[in-house]
Amino acid sequence: MLAPERQSRILKELQHHEAVRVADIAAAMNVSEMTIRRDIEVLDQSGLARKIHGGAMRLARLSALEPGFLLNVDKQLEGKLAIAQTALTLVQPGMTLALTGGTTTYQLAVLLAAEIERLRSLTVVTNSLKITELLYLQQGGSDLKVIVTGGERTPSEALVGPVARMALKNLNTDICFMGVHGLDTERGLTSPNLLEAETNTAFIEATTRLVVLADSTKFQVRSLAQIAPLAAVDTIITDHALSPAGKDLFASRVPHFIMSPASPENTRKNS
C-alpha cells in the first residue's frame, strides 16, 4: 500500500473517530508502527490531522478550515465521476480549458487524459498540482499543452496567491471548470481559503464560460470567502442526488443547470 493510500485510510478513520492509535492502524494495514507514525507526521504537517502521543486526532471542521485533497478524493466519488462525464461532453478539440484545484476537477482531468488522442490540440491551464502531474504523465506524444500558474501551495494541492493571479491576468480560456467548497444562493461560490478565493476569481475573469462542478453536498454551504456571485456562473453540473427543492432553488439562478445521471454510461446516452 502506497503512502497516499495509507494516509487516506487514516483520514477516513478520523471521520468516524475523534482519535486513532498508531498500533491499531498499523495492525489493520499490516505495516509497521514506524510507517504509520511517518504518515501521521505528514498529515500533521499538511494540516489534515493533529499528531498526539501514540496516534492522531481529528481536526475540528470550521468554515475557515480547508480540507486536504486526500481527505476529499474518495468522498461522493460516484457523483463526481458522473459530473466529470457530463463536463467532458462540453470539451471540443482545440479548446483552451482552465481547471481549478479540487477533487471533482481532478476526475475530469482523468477523463481528459484518457481522451487525449480524440481531443486534439487541447491547452489546459491549471493551478492544481495533482492535475498537472496526471496530465504530464499521460500526455506522451500528444499535442496537449499544460500551463501551470505557479503560486503558494494549499492543503488541497492548489497553487494560489499573487503569483497565480498574475499568471492568469494575461491568459484567456474558452471554459473554466471550477470546483468549489460551497454554493449559496446569497453568497454564491465560496472557499475556506482567502487566497484560493482570490485566485479562483482571477480564473473567472480570464474565461469566456464558467462551469461549476459541484456534487450535491456542496449546495447551501457557505464558507469563509466569496469567490463570485451566482450571476457569474454560466453552467452548474451536479449529481442526481440533489433534492428537487435544491434543483429548483439554483436552476432559476443560472443559465444552464445540469444534473448528471446516476452512472457514467447513462451520462453518455443523455449527453
Side-chain angles (χ1 to χ4, degrees):
M1 185 181 293
L2 299 176
E5 294 175 284
R6 295 194 306 270
Q7 291 158 18
S8 179
R9 175 82 173 272
I10 293 170
L11 291 172
K12 285 182 179 179
E13 289 296 319
L14 288 173
Q15 292 177 37
H16 301 288
H17 308 284
E18 185 175 353
V20 295
R21 296 175 61 237
V22 169
D24 294 340
I25 296 295
M29 296 189 198
N30 196 28
V31 297
S32 70
E33 293 187 11
M34 182 59 68
T35 295
I36 297 302
R37 288 193 184 95
R38 286 196 293 265
D39 288 332
I40 290 174
E41 183 71 30
V42 170
L43 295 174
D44 181 84
Q45 292 176 356
S46 300
L48 300 176
R50 180 180 301 168
K51 181 176 67 174
I52 59 175
H53 180 71
M57 178 176 287
R58 179 176 61 203
L59 293 173
R61 298 299 301 276
L62 304 172
S63 64
L65 181 64
E66 180 177 8
F69 185 89
L70 285 174
L71 184 63
N72 278 340
V73 68
D74 292 329
K75 286 186 176 180
Q76 311 297 323
L77 185 56
E78 180 184 349
K80 291 174 182 178
L81 290 172
I83 291 168
Q85 285 282 357
T86 301
L88 185 66
T89 66
L90 304 180
V91 180
Q92 300 295 326
M95 278 186 165
T96 297
L97 310 177
L99 272 67
T100 69
T103 54
T104 308
T105 50
Y106 178 80
Q107 295 301 332
L108 174 57
V110 171
L111 298 180
L112 289 174
E115 296 282 345
I116 285 177
E117 295 304 319
R118 180 179 67 84
L119 298 170
R120 305 289 298 176
S121 302
L122 279 185
T123 298
V124 176
V125 179
T126 186
N127 67 330
S128 167
L129 292 171
K130 292 293 186 182
I131 290 174
T132 300
E133 180 182 25
L134 171 71
L135 294 179
Y136 176 78
L137 292 174
Q138 294 296 322
Q139 69 183 125
S142 73
D143 56 1
L144 172 70
K145 294 181 181 179
V146 182
I147 299 173
V148 189
T149 63
E152 179 182 340
R153 183 178 180 178
T154 70
S156 59
E157 302 290 347
L159 300 173
V160 300
V163 174
R165 295 200 306 274
M166 286 300 296
L168 292 164
K169 184 178 180 180
N170 298 314
L171 299 178
N172 299 294
T173 62
D174 297 308
I175 300 179
C176 175
F177 292 103
M178 180 171 290
V180 296
H181 186 266
L183 282 159
D184 184 79
T185 50
E186 294 182 5
R187 299 299 294 165
L189 317 179
T190 60
S191 167
N193 187 307
L194 290 169
L195 291 178
E196 183 170 54
E198 292 177 355
T199 301
N200 282 358
T201 299
F203 268 107
I204 295 171
E205 293 170 351
T207 197
T208 301
R209 181 181 184 185
L210 175 61
V211 179
V212 175
L213 310 182
D215 68 70
S216 55
T217 66
K218 303 295 180 63
F219 287 79
Q220 288 301 72
V221 172
R222 182 184 297 188
S223 198
L224 176 66
Q226 184 186 47
I227 299 168
L230 285 179
V233 180
D234 176 84
T235 303
I236 293 176
I237 304 177
T238 188
D239 59 82
H240 69 287
L242 183 67
S243 68
K247 176 186 175 181
D248 292 342
L249 193 60
F250 283 86
S252 62
R253 287 170 165 81
V254 296
H256 304 98
F257 190 93
I258 304 171
M259 291 184 69
S260 301
S263 70
E265 181 178 355
N266 287 337
T267 303
R268 295 191 195 98
K269 293 178 180 178
N270 287 277
S271 61

